């Protein structure tokens, strides 16, 4: 499996979570794979991508050998980065399987054309605080049944026994950059363009911050960020502390 990116637009290639070692590429599938799958045509594609951005569960769509085509903000947050920064990476570079036998089982199932859900126990090092985390990736082959190998939908369930989220006063690197741009007067659209996020991706992070800090509105968020030391009081243009 390879690492992937989520920024609201389909990636150019790469594979999803099957395929043995940490990044061996399989032969090219026929034509590019659109992460919107059966919703790739017409307005449904945009609806699919908007929905993906809003889902709080970490999700990535990959090629059969693991290369990430698209990842949502919740998945990118595990590494403290923007969704677009995961595109083209391999899931096996991001996650360490607890048992390679689970990957071998998935690889064989894809070779035989089977389409079932396959759980893979994984661990990884969080990009926000460097803490070791554990969880389960559920790999689900998706897309047109006539296309082989299929694209893979990877959903991450983080174990509750892993370290708790950062304190309410903290912000991830991506959140701090969003707040800095907002403090400088940037619009939601321009923030998204700068950071490789969709408008919904930016709003996703702002909404999470507002809930965590118990404030309403962008002005209150920016003010709170300065009070909590997330933004530097001595910098202009605004910058993370």
């Amino acid at each position: 499996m390879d690492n992937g990116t989520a920024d609201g637009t389909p990636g150019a290639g790469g594979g999803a979570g099957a395929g043995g070692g940490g990044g061996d590429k399989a032969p090219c599938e026929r034509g590019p794979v659109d992460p919107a799958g059966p919703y790739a045509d017409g307005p449904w594609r945009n609806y699919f991508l908007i929905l993906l951005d809003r889902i709080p569960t970490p999700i990535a769509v990959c090629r059969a050998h693991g290369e990430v085509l698209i990842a949502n903000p919740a998945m990118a947050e595990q590494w403290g980065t923007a969704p677009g920064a995961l595109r083209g990476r391999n899931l096996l570079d991001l996650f360490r399987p607890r048992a390679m036998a689970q990957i071998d089982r998935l690889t064989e199932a894809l070779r035989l054309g089977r389409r079932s859900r396959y759980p893979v126990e994984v661990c990884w090092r969080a990009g926000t605080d460097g803490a070791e985390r554990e969880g389960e990736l559920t790999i689900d082959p998706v897309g047109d049944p006539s296309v082989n190998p299929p694209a893979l939908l990877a959903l991450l369930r983080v174990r509750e026994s892993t370290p708790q989220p950062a304190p309410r006063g903290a912000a991830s690197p991506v959140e701090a950059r969003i707040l800095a741009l907002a403090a400088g007067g940037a619009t939601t659209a321009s923030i998204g363009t700068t950071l490789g996020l969709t408008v919904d991706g930016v709003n996703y992070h702002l909404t999470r911050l507002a809930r965590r800090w118990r404030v309403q509105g962008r002005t209150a968020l920016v003010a709170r960020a300065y009070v909590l030391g997330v933004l530097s009081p001595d910098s202009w243009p605004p910058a993370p502390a």
Side-chain angles (χ1 to χ4, degrees):
M1 302 172 174
D2 277 353
N3 318 4
T5 336
D7 59 359
T9 58
D24 292 342
K25 307 279 183 171
C28 294
E29 296 98 18
R30 52 168 114 147
V33 177
D34 192 307
Y39 307 105
D41 296 326
W44 290 106
R45 183 181 186 285
N46 290 334
Y47 298 156
F48 167 83
L49 296 175
I50 290 172
L51 178 62
L52 189 65
D53 268 351
R54 293 180 176 177
I55 293 176
T57 301
I59 296 175
V61 180
C62 314
R63 289 186 181 274
H65 58 266
E67 182 182 348
V68 177
L69 293 171
I70 189 170
N72 69 351
M75 179 66 85
E77 188 177 10
Q78 296 298 320
W79 289 272
T81 189
L86 296 183
R87 185 187 302 121
R89 298 185 63 186
N90 194 291
L91 285 183
L92 287 178
D93 294 334
L94 293 168
F95 297 101
R96 302 190 304 279
R98 286 295 188 187
M100 284 305 299
Q102 293 181 318
I103 300 298
D104 295 339
R105 176 171 171 262
L106 172 58
T107 302
E108 179 65 7
L110 292 175
R111 187 185 68 81
L112 296 174
R114 296 172 182 165
R115 295 211 172 191
S116 299
R117 292 180 177 175
Y118 298 91
V120 179
E121 296 291 325
V122 294
C123 57
W124 68 98
R125 190 169 295 281
T128 52
D129 54 12
E132 187 77 7
R133 296 185 180 175
E134 298 180 349
E136 180 182 86
L137 274 176
T138 299
I139 307 297
D140 196 354
V142 294
D144 189 334
S146 66
V147 176
N148 190 38
L152 302 181
L153 181 67
L155 290 82
L156 176 65
R157 179 176 61 84
V158 182
R159 288 237 177 100
E160 294 182 359
S161 58
T162 58
Q164 295 300 310
R168 281 195 351 219
S172 71
V174 172
E175 291 170 339
R177 292 169 67 193
I178 290 174
L179 289 167
L181 290 169
T187 64
T188 302
S190 64
I191 292 173
T193 299
T194 300
L195 301 182
L197 297 168
T198 63
V199 168
D200 282 299
V202 174
N203 287 329
Y204 167 86
H205 286 290
L206 291 174
T207 299
R208 282 174 57 88
L209 279 169
R211 289 173 179 168
R212 188 188 313 155
W213 293 349
R214 299 180 182 177
V215 299
Q216 292 184 349
R218 185 171 300 191
T219 301
L221 267 176
V222 169
R224 187 74 167 149
Y226 277 111
V227 170
L228 295 173
V230 173
L231 296 179
S232 172
D234 302 319
S235 298
W236 188 265

